[in-house]
């Protein structure tokens, strides 16, 4: 769509649905972005609120990326029973998906939460929180009130966030790392591993609800948002932070729901598919903590992936602008088949997932046809949708125990 078309779309949405733009404050900031970013303290972070209360040790870590973002991480160094036999624990990095943070892994009772299950199974567990989320809204020089703070897409998560987390964990433990991603966490893992920058620090990877190709996703809201250039329209109006909970973005989502005749009260089901195994208290806790903000540029990049049916770096919209950034008219492609063929991989995907559609996941797995056969495990869970993999009450028995067994085999 040409820029003039995007402007027209943005104006049409504003006029048709009567959306009002919040006024700028005295410093030129949009009103709903005013206020200081939340500061994580020993008594208010994820460790205190969601790990230590269950009787586990937990450490808060801050990691600085090479482009200046200060990322918050949690470490659960041992299980609830203590250090066990004293043997060295293998580190596992657990990476969340889009519009959530590390808290999304900790919404069920302790015996159903993946990080605590892995800690009890003998692993040194780390949780990452990507830039822009609640406790990673910090930068050495920039404020989240500045548009420049939000000038990134998932390319930067690949190039800066994951390497910073890996370097920190490897520097403290001296060991190779098991990686576990969900949703966007799988996408940035695939992209990063394909460029082989982390290969010397990576032991294995488990991908839950893996996404890389999104052309067949069946989520109505996601499809409409991507194909109607929602994120681009939001960017043109001047919103650098994409926060579904407030302001113009929230109004846009309501407008899309209204236009499509969708009941967006159950936003989880609308976006992820009909999850089989969530309980009401977990959903309430999820909605109290999530969704988290991301950058509008990140949402544009994801929309490009849906529309273009390719896995490429961010498209700046013209050959000239791409040439300036990449030295070529088209953004470079990520070549997933370049992931080292001897890297142990575990895939788990669901039959009712509206984001990681079965057709797209099968196409993704087909990119590994030259991978060492004995290095790939694939699990298909017919009744699971996208959120079941992180919050399902049956996930421990259905998925997590299999993940732990897979990791232990790579010792």
């Amino acid at each position: 769509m040409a820029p003039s078309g995007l402007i027209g779309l943005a104006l049409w949405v504003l006029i048709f649905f009567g959306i009002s733009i919040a006024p700028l404050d005295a410093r030129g900031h949009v009103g709903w972005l005013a206020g200081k970013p939340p500061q994580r303290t020993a008594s208010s972070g994820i460790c205190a609120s969601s790990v230590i209360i269950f009787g586990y040790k937990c450490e808060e870590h801050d990691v600085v990326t090479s482009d200046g973002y200060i990322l918050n991480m949690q470490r659960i160094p041992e299980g609830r029973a203590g250090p066990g036999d004293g043997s060295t624990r293998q580190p596992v990095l657990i990476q969340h998906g889009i519009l959530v943070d590390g808290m999304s892994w900790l919404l069920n009772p302790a015996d159903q939460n993946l990080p605590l299950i892995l800690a009890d199974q003998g692993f040194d567990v780390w949780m990452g929180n990507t830039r822009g989320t609640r406790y990673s809204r910090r930068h050495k020089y920039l404020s989240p009130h500045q548009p420049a703070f939000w000038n990134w897409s998932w390319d930067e998560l690949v190039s800066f966030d994951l390497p910073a987390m890996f370097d920190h964990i490897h520097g403290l433990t001296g060991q190779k790392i098991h990686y576990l991603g969900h949703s966007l966490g799988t996408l940035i893992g695939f992209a990063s591993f394909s460029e082989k920058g982390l290969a010397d620090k990576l032991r294995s990877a488990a991908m839950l609800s893996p996404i890389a190709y999104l052309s067949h996703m069946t989520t109505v809201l996601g499809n409409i948002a991507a194909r109607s250039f929602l994120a681009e329209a939001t960017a043109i109006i001047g919103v650098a932070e994409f926060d579904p909970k407030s302001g113009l973005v929230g109004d846009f989502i309501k407008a899309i729901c209204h236009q499509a005749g969708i009941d967006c009260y159950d936003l989880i089901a609308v976006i992820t598919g009909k999850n089989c195994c969530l309980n009401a208290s977990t959903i309430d806790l999820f909605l109290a903590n999530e969704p988290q903000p991301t950058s509008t540029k990140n949402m544009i990049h994801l929309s490009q992936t849906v529309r273009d049916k390719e896995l490429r770096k961010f498209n700046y919209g013209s050959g000239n602008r791409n040439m300036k950034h990449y030295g070529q008219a088209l953004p470079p492609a990520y070549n997933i088949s370049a992931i080292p063929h001897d890297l142990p991989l575990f895939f788990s995907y669901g039959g009712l997932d509206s984001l990681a559609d079965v057709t797209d996941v099968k196409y993704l797995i087909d990119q590994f046809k030259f991978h060492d056969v004995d290095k790939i495990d694939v699990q298909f869970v017919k009744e699971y949708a996208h959120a079941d993999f992180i919050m399902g009450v049956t996930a421990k028995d259905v998925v997590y125990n299999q993940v732990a067994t897979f990791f232990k085999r790579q010792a």
Side-chain angles (χ1 to χ4, degrees):
M1 182 179 289
S4 59
L6 291 176
I7 295 171
L9 170 71
L11 293 175
W12 179 85
V13 172
L14 289 172
I15 294 169
F16 187 85
F17 291 105
I19 296 170
S20 60
I21 301 177
L24 300 180
D25 65 18
R27 294 168 295 170
H29 299 148
V30 179
W32 60 76
L33 297 182
K36 295 181 180 179
Q39 297 297 306
R40 188 261 313 153
T41 66
S43 61
S44 67
I46 291 176
C47 277
S49 67
S50 303
V51 179
I52 294 173
I53 59 171
F54 292 124
Y56 291 78
K57 289 184 178 179
C58 189
E59 305 165 3
E60 298 279 0
H61 289 247
D62 286 337
V63 179
V64 182
T65 68
S66 60
D67 61 342
Y69 288 83
I70 303 170
L71 310 180
N72 180 227
M73 299 183 71
Q74 288 73 41
R75 182 187 193 182
I76 308 171
E78 59 190 43
R80 184 155 45 183
D85 60 7
S87 59
T88 302
R89 290 172 170 257
Q90 296 176 13
V92 177
L93 171 59
I94 302 177
Q95 187 55 51
H96 61 78
I98 186 69
L99 297 175
V100 296
D101 64 358
M103 183 77 80
S104 61
W105 298 105
L106 296 162
L107 301 177
N108 280 325
D111 62 350
Q112 297 174 8
N113 290 332
L114 175 61
L116 307 184
I117 290 168
L118 290 178
D120 285 334
Q121 293 259 11
F123 294 97
D124 177 7
V125 179
W126 295 75
M127 292 184 291
N129 299 280
T130 55
R131 60 184 66 189
T133 54
R134 161 177 25 196
Y135 299 118
S136 296
R137 294 170 64 88
R138 292 174 291 160
H139 191 278
K140 291 171 66 177
Y141 314 111
L142 298 172
S143 160
H145 300 307
Q146 298 174 286
F149 180 92
W150 300 99
N151 185 24
W152 50 268
S153 78
W154 56 263
D155 283 334
E156 281 68 34
L157 307 186
V158 170
S159 300
F160 299 108
D161 286 24
L162 273 192
M165 294 177 193
F166 266 74
D167 287 347
H168 184 75
I169 297 169
H170 189 263
L172 288 177
T173 67
Q175 296 191 70
K176 287 191 172 184
I177 299 156
H178 297 291
Y179 180 82
L180 186 146
H182 175 258
S183 189
L184 183 68
T186 70
L187 174 59
I188 63 176
F190 289 131
S192 183
F193 306 154
S194 73
E195 299 192 332
K196 301 181 181 179
L198 301 178
D200 60 332
K201 300 180 181 72
L202 181 64
R203 188 185 297 268
S204 70
M207 305 303 206
L208 311 184
S209 294
I211 62 169
Y213 305 97
L214 294 167
S215 58
H216 291 88
M217 71 175 186
T218 56
T219 169
V220 177
L221 183 60
N223 252 318
I224 294 173
R227 301 187 192 283
S228 67
F229 292 77
L230 166 65
E232 286 92 334
T234 306
I236 287 171
I237 292 170
V239 180
E241 177 182 2
F242 193 97
D243 184 356
K245 280 188 173 181
S246 64
L248 184 59
V249 176
D251 286 340
F252 268 19
I253 292 174
K254 292 174 186 176
I256 288 175
C257 293
H258 176 77
Q259 180 188 21
I262 303 169
D263 178 9
C264 283
Y265 177 77
D266 186 4
L267 200 57
I268 296 178
V270 169
I271 295 174
T272 67
K274 190 175 181 180
N275 297 281
C276 72
C277 304
L278 310 185
N279 66 39
S281 62
T282 299
I283 293 174
D284 289 343
L285 192 55
F286 175 87
L287 293 175
N289 286 279
E290 317 290 354
Q292 294 290 309
T294 187
S295 73
T296 297
K297 185 176 180 180
N298 191 31
M299 298 304 292
I300 293 173
H301 196 179
L302 288 168
S303 296
Q304 291 172 354
T305 304
V306 174
R307 296 192 300 260
D308 300 340
K309 303 179 181 181
E310 294 181 305
L311 196 61
R312 291 184 177 274
K313 293 182 183 291
F314 185 84
N315 191 327
Y316 285 90
S318 74
N320 287 338
R321 286 195 288 269
N322 287 331
M323 186 69 69
K324 179 180 178 181
H325 285 275
Y326 305 120
Q328 58 188 65
L330 277 178
Y334 288 103
N335 180 14
I336 286 181
S337 63
I339 291 175
H341 293 178
D342 60 349
L343 173 68
L345 293 170
F346 176 91
F347 296 88
S348 186
Y349 66 107
L352 299 179
D353 196 327
S354 293
L355 285 173
D357 181 80
V358 170
T359 302
D360 287 331
V361 175
K362 287 181 177 178
Y363 181 77
L364 166 64
I365 294 173
D366 191 54
Q367 306 308 301
F368 295 90
K369 57 190 172 188
F370 298 116
H371 211 79
D372 293 356
V373 176
D374 61 345
K375 296 295 184 180
I376 291 187
D377 288 43
V378 178
Q379 179 190 41
F380 175 65
V381 187
K382 183 178 180 180
E383 69 275 17
Y384 265 29
H386 207 69
D388 288 312
F389 287 92
I390 53 172
M391 298 185 290
V393 296
T394 62
K396 176 181 180 180
D397 295 327
V398 175
V399 180
Y400 300 164
N401 286 339
Q402 282 68 27
V403 169
T405 298
F406 166 77
F407 284 156
K408 289 176 181 178
R409 289 207 314 266
Q410 319 311 322

